[in-house]
Amino acid sequence: MNVGGRFDAFRALAGRRGRVGERVLDALAEERAGTAEASAVWFPAVAEQLGLPHAAGLGPAGYFADLAAPHGRRHVRVCAGTACFAARGGRHLGEVEQELGVVADEASADGEVSLQAVRCLGYCYTGPAALDGDRPCTGVRLAEQLAGRQAPRAPAIPVADGTGDPVLLCGVLAAEPGWQVWPRAVTAGAPEEIHAQVAASGLRGRGGAGFSVAAKWAAVRGQQGAVVVVNGDEGDPGSFADRLLMEEDPDRVLEGLALACLACGAREGVVLVRSEYPRALTRMRQAVDRAYADGHLGARVHGSEATLHVRVAAGAGSYVAGEETALIASLEGGRGCSRARPPYPTDAGLWGAPTVVNNAETLAAVPWIVAHGGAAYARRGVPAQTGTKLVCLSERFARPGCYEVEFGMPLERIVRELGGGLRAGARLAVVQVGGPLGGFLPAGALDVPLTEQDLSERGAALGHAGLVAFDDSVDPVDVLRRVWGFADAESCGACAPCRVGSRRGLRLAASGGPPDPGYGQWMRVMEETSLCAFGRRVPLAVRSLARAYGDRLAGWEA
């Protein structure tokens, strides 16, 4: 199969056999769950069963964390992400290891228990957290819960509206049902009107890149075989907005997907949910089944000429696989590595088809926009960035949870008024904004509006708008090690600047000494030449952290 002038042998083979690559990750995950053997033992049989060469199983089995990690008969995933680290200074990991009698990323000698350190489980508001199988356990007594001395604790996400008229939380807070706009829209058969309203709204992607939704949709309109993908691979430690929407209001996410498909002329939609969100995966699959039963999906939807089919796929544990080209690669059954652009997914994406990738929060806003008009949405927020955003506050805040706010609200107000400052009278040191590759702001520099431009000017980023608070008991050097550790663990390895730079940065941070003489030079190489935004943003995050802590991280700002 030629994609952008390049021949892709795996796509060609898997495509000839009925896009069998779509079943690779599920088949590997099923086999992984049934054995404690290393992946090298069982992946060849999976590939053979699908009629693919062994290499087709080796790639994903050795790449995705869920497949590569040792699995015992009892498999526990413990969060080592930023918010859970900040909750107790990372002490929970050692406590869990001691209680289970196994170290992270290993299995016990008898194969009974395995422990996998993951980067986020979406319980940032009540961390530290773990999944015992698919059962969540959270809080300061996490190790005791896993040992059976305490009952499992997993409180629901606290939710509140800070706008007075929620767009994204109207279903969660006011129980407004989904699928109210779609029947009228599909029978009217006016995709141009949907596109026009979204264009008028100024809606931009909420997954981090902030690209114009209407422009992305316009790029595939009129092209044959277009596909729309919901990116539910929300991997930023500190963010749980997509998890909230997929678990508590999945119909709204699906309705947004359906409207996007109609506007783009797509007959196929795919929802990708990260494996660390097992409840969200179940709720989305149930919602798809209901949508078919209620006539919202299928052939001749609601008596119209439209046909729309939707399937739900599960991720397998990779942060970079949330980047749109890497996500597409994983949906095809390959390693979730970023691909060079051009071609862009809107020209040649999933199986070479023109593909739009929007995250769950982005699409959840579309039904409101179509119902109330793009102009009404554009009046929300600020002219440079319209609309509303879900902001997630981590466990260190007095009132952690998910808040809907309008763009332009000062970060200081979100932290002090909505979040209530820090719990138990702790003193705020720095706030991480926008995920592990976002940026850090000191406690005295939060007078910044919540917009991409304003945050960027302060060295931070909007990202998924997760706010992780660090109190002054946390050692800045430990935070620095977390940033570099995350970069090293999650780099897909597809390009040398990111792969080598992340490893080098981790070694330097782990040594506890100052950066080497060439530090500034190779950081610039990493920032300017990495294949995707992951590698390009790591140096920016490190520099912002160094600025936020000042003299305590002297030398790391270069």
Side-chain angles (χ1 to χ4, degrees):
M1 177 182 292
N2 283 296
V3 180
R6 297 189 298 270
F7 180 72
D8 189 313
F10 175 74
R11 273 179 165 175
L13 177 60
R16 286 200 302 270
R17 299 185 177 177
R19 286 168 41 167
V20 68
E22 294 177 354
R23 303 200 299 275
V24 167
L25 289 189
D26 285 343
L28 289 170
E30 183 177 352
E31 189 68 23
R32 168 79 283 178
T35 179
E37 298 280 0
S39 59
V41 175
W42 49 262
F43 81 77
V46 174
E48 290 174 6
Q49 291 166 8
L50 296 173
L52 295 171
H54 288 183
L58 171 63
Y63 174 80
F64 289 101
D66 290 351
L67 304 177
H71 276 51
R73 279 170 280 279
R74 178 191 181 192
H75 186 61
V76 177
R77 287 175 284 182
V78 60
C79 181
T82 314
C84 285
F85 166 78
R88 300 197 59 242
R91 295 187 298 275
H92 69 287
L93 181 56
E95 293 167 355
V96 169
E97 290 177 328
Q98 184 174 355
E99 288 288 359
L100 298 183
V102 60
V103 300
D105 301 318
E106 291 190 12
S108 59
D110 58 7
E112 284 297 321
V113 182
S114 55
L115 181 64
Q116 178 187 353
V118 299
R119 300 296 171 261
C120 189
L121 295 172
Y123 287 89
C124 318
Y125 58 95
T126 184
L131 285 177
D132 189 355
D134 285 345
R135 183 182 66 180
C137 301
T138 72
V140 294
R141 294 191 168 184
L142 175 65
E144 296 173 54
Q145 293 173 48
L146 292 170
R149 296 196 301 275
Q150 290 280 334
R153 174 183 177 275
I157 299 173
V159 182
D161 172 51
T163 70
D165 181 16
V167 171
L168 297 159
L169 296 180
C170 57
V172 178
L173 292 174
E176 292 185 15
W179 297 115
Q180 300 302 297
V181 178
W182 172 245
R184 297 192 302 273
V186 72
T187 52
E192 298 84 1
E193 178 61 19
I194 297 172
H195 185 269
Q197 293 301 333
V198 170
S201 74
L203 179 66
R204 292 184 172 271
R206 301 296 190 241
F211 194 77
S212 165
V213 173
K216 186 178 281 192
W217 290 3
V220 304
R221 288 183 65 190
Q223 297 193 61
Q224 291 294 317
V227 180
V228 178
V229 176
V230 180
N231 185 351
D233 199 2
E234 175 187 49
D236 281 356
S239 180
F240 39 91
D242 287 350
R243 182 191 145 215
L244 171 71
L245 292 170
M246 291 188 292
E247 289 184 359
E248 304 302 330
D249 202 4
D251 288 346
R252 198 166 312 279
V253 176
L254 285 180
E255 185 175 24
L257 169 62
L259 291 165
C261 286
L262 184 61
C264 293
R267 296 162 60 94
E268 179 183 0
V270 182
V271 183
L272 188 283
V273 183
R274 62 196 306 255
S275 65
E276 295 89 344
Y277 289 177
R279 185 168 181 262
L281 184 62
T282 297
R283 294 298 305 276
M284 289 304 302
R285 284 175 169 161
Q286 291 172 341
V288 168
D289 289 343
R290 285 197 308 272
Y292 273 104
D294 294 341
H296 299 310
L297 302 176
R300 297 187 59 82
V301 175
H302 293 301
S304 70
E305 296 298 317
T307 293
L308 178 58
H309 292 288
V310 173
R311 66 182 179 91
V312 178
S318 167
Y319 179 81
V320 170
E323 188 273 333
E324 61 180 9
T325 64
L327 180 147
I328 288 168
S330 69
L331 286 174
E332 294 174 342
R335 293 164 63 91
C337 296
S338 300
R339 291 169 170 168
R341 291 175 285 187
Y344 293 91
T346 49
D347 296 318
L350 187 64
W351 299 110
T355 303
V356 165
V357 180
N358 291 138
N359 89 316
E361 183 182 340
T362 306
L363 292 175
V366 173
W368 192 98
I369 291 170
V370 175
H372 296 82
Y377 188 84
R379 287 192 291 270
R380 314 290 293 271
V382 293
Q385 194 148 15
T386 62
T388 69
K389 182 77 185 73
L390 295 182
V391 175
C392 298
L393 304 187
S394 69
E395 177 271 348
R396 288 288 80 196
F397 288 96
R399 292 190 289 272
C402 187
Y403 295 82
E404 184 168 0
V405 303
E406 292 196 9
F407 280 112
M409 177 180 283
L411 211 59
E412 175 78 25
R413 183 180 166 198
I414 295 172
V415 169
R416 306 296 180 188
E417 294 183 21
L418 299 183
L422 297 198
R423 63 173 61 217
R427 291 179 56 188
L428 179 65
V430 301
V431 176
Q432 184 183 46
V433 186
L437 306 181
F440 295 81
L441 296 172
L446 301 180
D447 56 337
V448 52
L450 186 75
T451 71
E452 180 61 58
Q453 180 177 341
D454 289 298
L455 288 169
S456 179
E457 290 173 354
R458 300 288 187 93
L462 178 65
H464 275 88
L467 303 187
V468 178
F470 292 85
D471 61 40
D472 58 5
S473 70
V474 179
D475 187 341
V477 176
D478 285 341
V479 182
L480 178 68
R481 292 190 186 108
R482 304 303 299 182
V483 174
W484 279 117
F486 182 91
D488 180 62
E490 293 295 340
S491 172
C492 74
C495 69
C498 179
R499 181 180 68 250
V500 176
S502 296
R503 191 163 303 163
R504 190 168 184 174
L506 178 59
R507 282 202 304 267
L508 282 173
S511 72
D516 59 35
Y519 168 72
Q521 182 178 0
W522 62 256
M523 283 275 278
R524 286 191 293 275
V525 171
M526 188 176 179
E527 179 183 357
E528 295 171 7
T529 64
S530 290
L531 183 61
C532 76
F534 182 90
R536 294 193 295 269
R537 283 220 55 91
V538 170
L540 299 175
V542 171
R543 292 190 195 109
S544 75
L545 176 65
R547 286 193 298 271
Y549 276 113
D551 292 342
R552 300 176 73 183
L553 288 178
W556 286 94
E557 192 179 342

